Amino acid sequence: MSERQGAEGVPTNQVIVLFGATGDLAKRKLLPGMFHLAQVGLMPERFRIVGAARKGLGDEQFRALARDSVFGSGRKPEEPDVWERFAESLRFASVGDGFDELGVEIGRAREELGEGAEVLFYLSLPPQAAAGTVQGLGDLGLGAGAKVITEKPFGTDLASARKLNRQLQDVFAEHCIFRIDHYIGREAVQNLLALRFANGMFEPVWNRNHIDHVQIDIPETLSIEMRGSFYEETGAFRDMIVTHLFQVLGFVAMEPPISLEAKPLGIEREKVFEAMPPLHPADVVRGQYSGYRDEDGVAGDADTETFVAVKAFVDNWRWEGVPFYLRSGKRLAESRHLLTIAFKQPPLRMFPLDCDQIAESFGHDHLTFELGDPGSISASFLAKVPGPRIQLGEAHMRFSYADTFGGPEEALDPYERLIHDVMLGDRMLFTSSAAIERLWEISEPLLEGPPPAIPYEPGSWGPEEARALIAPRHWHLPTDHV
């Protein structure tokens, strides 16, 4: 651990209550993540992690579970005493018969940490279980002054989102509610802010005068992976568009905030959502991969989409008339996390006919962000091919996080970054209840009258209708030049 990391960004002493402590997310991400924060000096000086689940475990059993999770994740301690110090912080309380045992454990942990210790609840739970948990915490008065992290989905429509927000706000103050979206915790997503607002070459052309369209594309080769029941309740639109892709759109389209503090940044992102007109079902393509109905937990006549492509707009001075194309789906040809800014063609053609044909087949000049970790930014453009005649060819310039800054073991993954932000009370990368409700409001026409899900073959790029949605433009994927 470096001296700088140990001195900066250290939160107040905290009791962290982890609901769903025996679940998949806790074992894959949350317990290894908090251990890594402790490794690099970004956990509080003194803390307790209280696991909570319906299944009863003793403290030692929970420590064994946590040890298996940490050592299986690759976040292995370099020295045995690092793990021992972390293990000493772990406690467990069963909530199968109510929250009385948990209340006692929280009180004991706060006494051990001393005056000023804060309480943070992480609800790694499905929405229905989270609602009951919030009510139980409120009945015992445990929400007063505490922070809470909730996992997506933040409702399944406007009515359920409003209900969930009311339930949370009855127990916790709004500024203490952190709706976590791990996608926004990626370094490459946050680098959008740096590229736009720290470099004078980009912001002057970041508007409808120079940009033809924007693509946000997150295809996946994976199937629904034994999550049939969950997917039947959500589908690709609720799972990916309303959460991850709309949030990325907010960063792309926002006006410059007066600072990078949470409040001004949140205000500008919310302005983007307010400027988005409701989605029209004709501007949405839904698809379902062949074989989805054979998955466990899926109805034989299910119309749930495993693929979705959306054309959206932001009706303000900066973006009027510029389409934003969003696409995501399961069992597609590649797994990528791509944001593409496509610039307009020059107004005057001055190259020979064959060069113009090359330009037309190439499409638009592109600025492409690979949002997957570690991330990269590439510029694609046309340049003259060396030789005696004028001939154009595709050219590319690329910045890679790994090549430029390396990949130090101390780098934080998205969950680690966001958990650390919550402990500090930093809301910059979190969404308000008003923004969540606005996004569901935009989505209502589609949810009330969705077009039918069109079958597509696994390993393809989804229904052919998705190509018609973006025509005469083309999806930046599939392509062989990124």
Side-chain angles (χ1 to χ4, degrees), residues 16-251:
I16 302 168
V17 182
L18 178 56
F19 282 95
T22 60
D24 180 65
L25 179 62
K27 289 188 284 190
R28 284 190 303 106
K29 291 292 185 180
L30 305 182
L31 289 167
M34 286 186 278
F35 172 75
H36 186 235
L37 289 173
Q39 272 188 307
V40 298
L42 294 176
M43 283 293 278
E45 183 177 344
R46 303 185 69 207
F47 62 93
R48 296 289 182 270
I49 299 172
V50 181
R54 296 181 64 83
K55 180 181 179 181
L57 292 180
D59 290 352
E60 289 304 319
Q61 289 175 300
F62 182 49
R63 287 169 184 150
L65 180 151
R67 186 181 188 281
D68 290 344
S69 300
V70 169
F71 281 64
S73 71
R75 296 295 199 192
K76 298 181 180 179
E78 297 178 1
E79 301 175 3
D81 62 336
V82 176
W83 164 253
E84 294 302 324
R85 288 196 299 271
F86 183 77
E88 288 174 3
S89 74
L90 300 177
R91 307 285 190 273
F92 192 86
S94 172
V95 293
D97 297 320
F99 296 143
D100 290 341
E101 179 184 336
L102 177 63
V104 171
E105 193 61 57
I106 292 173
R108 183 182 298 125
R110 295 187 74 175
E111 287 182 9
E112 291 174 357
L113 298 182
E115 186 177 355
E118 298 179 353
V119 178
L120 166 61
F121 295 100
Y122 197 123
L123 307 184
S124 178
L125 301 168
Q128 289 184 339
T133 298
V134 169
Q135 183 177 341
L137 295 176
D139 291 343
L140 288 178
L142 295 174
K147 297 190 288 286
V148 63
I149 299 175
T150 63
E151 282 281 347
K152 74 175 184 72
F154 311 119
T156 56
D157 55 20
L158 180 58
S160 61
R162 284 174 173 166
K163 180 180 179 181
L164 177 60
N165 284 332
R166 285 197 304 269
Q167 290 170 328
L168 287 165
Q169 291 162 351
D170 284 344
V171 178
F172 301 94
E174 171 63 24
H175 72 274
C176 293
I177 302 170
F178 294 80
R179 300 163 183 86
I180 196 167
D181 181 351
H182 70 273
Y183 207 85
I184 303 303
R186 292 170 180 260
E187 290 286 354
V189 174
Q190 297 167 52
N191 197 46
L192 285 170
L193 298 175
L195 181 129
R196 284 193 59 190
F197 304 133
N199 299 285
M201 71 180 77
F202 294 111
E203 186 57 25
V205 297
W206 206 266
N207 55 57
R208 62 185 175 86
N209 296 323
H210 302 279
I211 292 176
D212 179 82
H213 69 279
V214 176
Q215 297 181 30
I216 306 173
D217 204 2
I218 308 181
E220 298 180 87
T221 58
L222 298 174
S223 70
I224 60 171
E225 296 190 300
M226 308 300 290
R227 297 190 304 159
S229 298
F230 167 79
Y231 226 74
E232 280 291 271
E233 295 177 358
T234 55
F237 180 80
R238 290 179 172 92
D239 187 37
M240 295 296 294
I241 303 296
V242 182
T243 52
H244 306 324
L245 275 69
F246 275 166
Q247 295 297 331
V248 175
L249 188 157
F251 279 105

Side-chain angles (χ1 to χ4, degrees), residues 156-163 436-438 440-441 444 447:
T156 56
D157 55 20
L158 180 58
S160 61
R162 284 174 173 166
K163 180 180 179 181
I436 291 293
E437 292 177 16
R438 174 58 184 166
W440 285 118
E441 187 178 10
E444 271 204 310
L447 299 178

Side-chain angles (χ1 to χ4, degrees), residues 250-268:
F251 279 105
V252 173
M254 66 186 290
E255 294 296 319
I258 59 172
S259 74
L260 289 182
E261 297 298 321
K263 183 177 179 179
L265 194 70
I267 288 172
E268 296 304 335

